[in-house]
Amino acid sequence: MKIGLVGFPGAGKTTVFNALTGLGAETGYRASRGRTNLGVVKVPDPRVDALARLFKPKKTTYAEITFADVAADPLGGQVRGLDAKTLAAMREMDALCHVLRGFPGPAGETVEPLRDAVSLDGEMNLADLILVENRLERLARERGPRVEKELLEKLGAHLDSGTPLRLVSGLAPTDWAAVAGYRFLTQKPLLLVLNVTEENAARPAPPALERHAREAGLGLVTLAGSVEMDIAQLPVEEQQEFAASLGLAEPALGRFIRKAYDLIDLISFLTAGEDECRAWPIRRGTIAQKAAGKVHSDIERGFIRAEVINLEDFLRLGSETRCREAGRLRLEGKGYVVADGDVINFRFNV
Ligand SMILES: Nc1nc2c(ncn2[C@@H]2O[C@H](COP(=O)(O)OP(=O)(O)OP(=O)(O)O)[C@@H](O)[C@H]2O)c(=O)[nH]1
Ligand SMILES: [Mg+2]
């Protein structure tokens, strides 16, 4: 899972990136200039911890998310017209996170996160529209498939009227699958991150921004990037305490990841044993055979069945054997829709 941090120059992308990853990439207005910083974080998960306490495994593995700090290479001031390289980097992402400046700019620019949010949305909308129009032109010249043409015309009309593709309903899943290769920006899950000053760390976001996020189907999280960056540098034991002193229930990473999980509609299933206890992120609605493929393609191919135990049952009864005896172990076929927190043992043919 790859999440791209995007936004206007100096909004605090690199600062938020450092806060989330605990890394120390160079910050400062236009310090990044077209460079993309990459960092991997482990998703804190008390369920994995609970299983690890039970099994004392050789290895404990959390789900991982890669953050990419995608800096635009602006010709000057605010980005107007995202450059091709930035767009290409953004299309690679599974989800986007728009970092909004919630503190006065270096030249005393006013704080206008809603304006900035709408502005970048417009840029992404335009980029998708150009993609659609270019393809339509080519299809007309090559007399390409009619179905694709009709589909793209439909999407183009939505984009033209300013509707991001994530809000378009009434398209069949097969239609979406047909255009998946375009990796439209306005179709990606989008999380707004309002980067505020320390004094505003525990305050809710402005109501107008909240409303915009709700209406546009976006996630919204407020964080004080520069303070969180300092928190991320502390030893884990001290992080909680420092966050509490600022009136925060926990450091940003935990809050941020839960929002991102909700937005992307991710859940985790778990595997447990003496060798390894592990969380595996999947999209909600994934069937057991596909989930098996996350563990290994051989397991997907040779899938026989999934032995599924609810995590609570597992922790309460303490072992697979006891769950089996108590009738709490279910045998599920390949079409079973995996639930969040299922502890699964896959049976397969090699
Ligand atoms: N006052 C204040 N300054 C901040 C905050 N977050 C970032 N800054 C400052 O704003 C400047 C830009 O921050 P960066 O994180 O480098 O911004 P960026 O979005 O990565 O900028 P580019 O890479 O140039 O696009 C730095 O000098 C930061 O110290 C904040 O929450 N409050
Ligand atoms: Mg930067």
Side-chain angles (χ1 to χ4, degrees):
M1 186 57 47
K2 228 170 163 186
I3 299 183
L5 301 173
V6 300
F8 292 116
K13 297 178 291 297
T14 306
T15 305
V16 170
F17 171 83
N18 287 341
L20 296 174
T21 60
L23 296 172
E26 188 190 350
T27 60
Y29 186 57
R30 299 184 66 182
S32 305
R33 276 187 308 267
R35 191 159 19 92
T36 294
N37 298 307
L38 283 179
V40 178
V41 303
K42 295 186 192 322
V43 177
D45 193 337
R47 298 172 303 181
V48 180
D49 297 331
L51 285 172
R53 277 195 296 276
L54 200 59
F55 282 91
K56 310 209 167 28
K58 292 195 195 93
K59 208 169 145 201
T60 302
T61 312
Y62 298 89
E64 287 184 342
I65 290 185
T66 300
F67 286 107
D69 165 22
V70 184
D73 201 357
L75 299 171
Q78 295 251 299
V79 181
R80 286 288 171 269
L82 293 162
D83 59 293
K85 202 174 136 221
T86 306
L87 288 173
M90 286 164 70
R91 291 200 194 284
E92 291 294 312
M93 303 296 152
D94 297 303
L96 297 171
C97 169
H98 185 183
V99 179
L100 299 161
R101 183 171 54 77
F103 53 91
E109 293 94 337
T110 51
V111 178
E112 295 193 53
L114 180 58
R115 177 204 61 188
D116 294 348
V118 171
S119 175
L120 193 77
D121 284 354
E123 300 270 348
M124 293 197 277
N125 197 298
L126 185 63
D128 283 352
L129 185 58
I130 291 172
L131 198 64
V132 167
E133 285 179 345
N134 286 348
R135 178 68 186 152
L136 280 173
E137 249 172 58
R138 182 135 15 105
L139 284 176
R141 249 186 291 132
E142 294 169 357
R143 307 206 190 158
R146 246 196 103 70
V147 255
E148 189 183 355
K149 180 168 175 276
E150 281 169 10
L151 187 54
L152 287 175
E153 276 170 350
K154 206 187 285 178
L155 296 181
H158 283 293
L159 289 166
D160 203 32
S161 70
T163 308
L165 297 183
R166 75 177 72 80
L167 292 183
V168 172
S169 54
L171 231 62
T174 46
D175 286 342
W176 284 121
V179 295
Y182 291 100
R183 295 174 300 166
F184 290 119
L185 296 176
T186 64
Q187 200 189 343
K188 295 185 191 293
L190 179 65
L191 177 61
L192 300 176
V193 176
L194 180 60
N195 180 23
V196 296
T197 52
E198 184 171 345
E199 310 82 78
N200 292 331
R203 289 230 185 103
L209 191 63
E210 298 254 18
R211 197 176 326 116
H212 171 72
R214 207 168 39 243
E215 286 170 2
L218 315 178
L220 172 62
V221 58
T222 300
L223 60 84
S226 46
V227 186
E228 294 281 357
M229 187 166 111
D230 295 339
I231 295 181
Q233 300 298 327
L234 294 172
V236 180
E237 318 80 73
E238 292 170 30
Q239 291 185 358
Q240 196 66 38
E241 205 179 317
F242 191 25
S245 73
L246 296 167
L248 299 168
E250 58 174 329
L253 180 64
R255 285 188 295 141
F256 188 99
I257 286 193
R258 274 198 304 280
K259 287 272 185 190
Y261 256 60
D262 279 354
L263 193 69
I264 307 170
D265 224 6
L266 284 179
I267 57 171
S268 300
F269 72 89
L270 306 150
T271 52
E274 267 89 52
D275 283 334
E276 188 183 33
C277 290
R278 178 161 183 170
W280 304 83
I282 49 170
R283 289 250 176 167
R284 193 183 302 281
T286 301
I287 57 168
Q289 189 174 19
K290 285 279 164 225
K294 296 278 169 192
V295 181
H296 203 288
S297 55
D298 287 349
I299 307 183
E300 180 175 347
R301 219 171 305 124
F303 184 95
I304 302 172
R305 62 173 182 266
E307 298 177 348
V308 183
I309 303 171
N310 168 277
L311 178 71
E312 257 108 74
D313 287 340
F314 206 129
L315 296 175
R316 186 167 47 84
L317 296 166
S319 77
E320 190 182 310
T321 314
R322 271 186 237 137
C323 288
R324 197 187 296 269
E325 285 163 4
R328 307 306 298 174
L329 183 146
R330 288 175 285 129
L331 301 179
E332 301 284 3
K334 57 184 170 190
Y336 167 71
V337 175
V338 175
D340 196 22
D342 277 350
V343 183
I344 306 186
N345 182 26
F346 293 107
R347 294 277 170 209
F348 61 106
N349 280 317
V350 271

